[in-house]
């Protein structure tokens, strides 16, 4: 499979935007906010275990 044919297939796939896998019940703000909170929790846990610095 050449680079040109792969790029053409990816362009065709990207053009079909309505079938991109975005589910109606997934709100980007809720998903991003919950991911941010999880990362903050992991940062807090990491800093609690790393008190010797």
């Amino acid at each position: 499979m050449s680079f040109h044919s792969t790029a053409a297939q990816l362009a065709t796939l990207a053009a079909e935007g309505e079938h991109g896998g975005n589910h109606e019940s997934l709100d980007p703000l809720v998903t991003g906010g919950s991911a941010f909170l999880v990362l903050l929790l992991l940062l807090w846990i990491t800093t609690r275990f790393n008190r010797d610095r």
Side-chain angles (χ1 to χ4, degrees), residues 12-23:
T12 305
L13 183 63
E16 300 172 357
E18 64 184 275
H19 304 316
N22 292 333
H23 197 270

Side-chain angles (χ1 to χ4, degrees), residues 3-30:
F3 178 74
H4 179 68
S5 64
T6 304
Q9 288 176 354
L10 288 176
T12 305
L13 183 63
E16 300 172 357
E18 64 184 275
H19 304 316
N22 292 333
H23 197 270
E24 294 175 359
S25 68
L26 292 177
D27 185 16
L29 187 61
V30 173

Side-chain angles (χ1 to χ4, degrees), residues 30-47:
V30 173
T31 306
S34 60
F36 181 69
L37 289 176
V38 167
L39 288 173
L40 282 179
L41 177 67
L42 289 173
L43 180 65
W44 182 79
I45 290 171
T46 303
T47 56

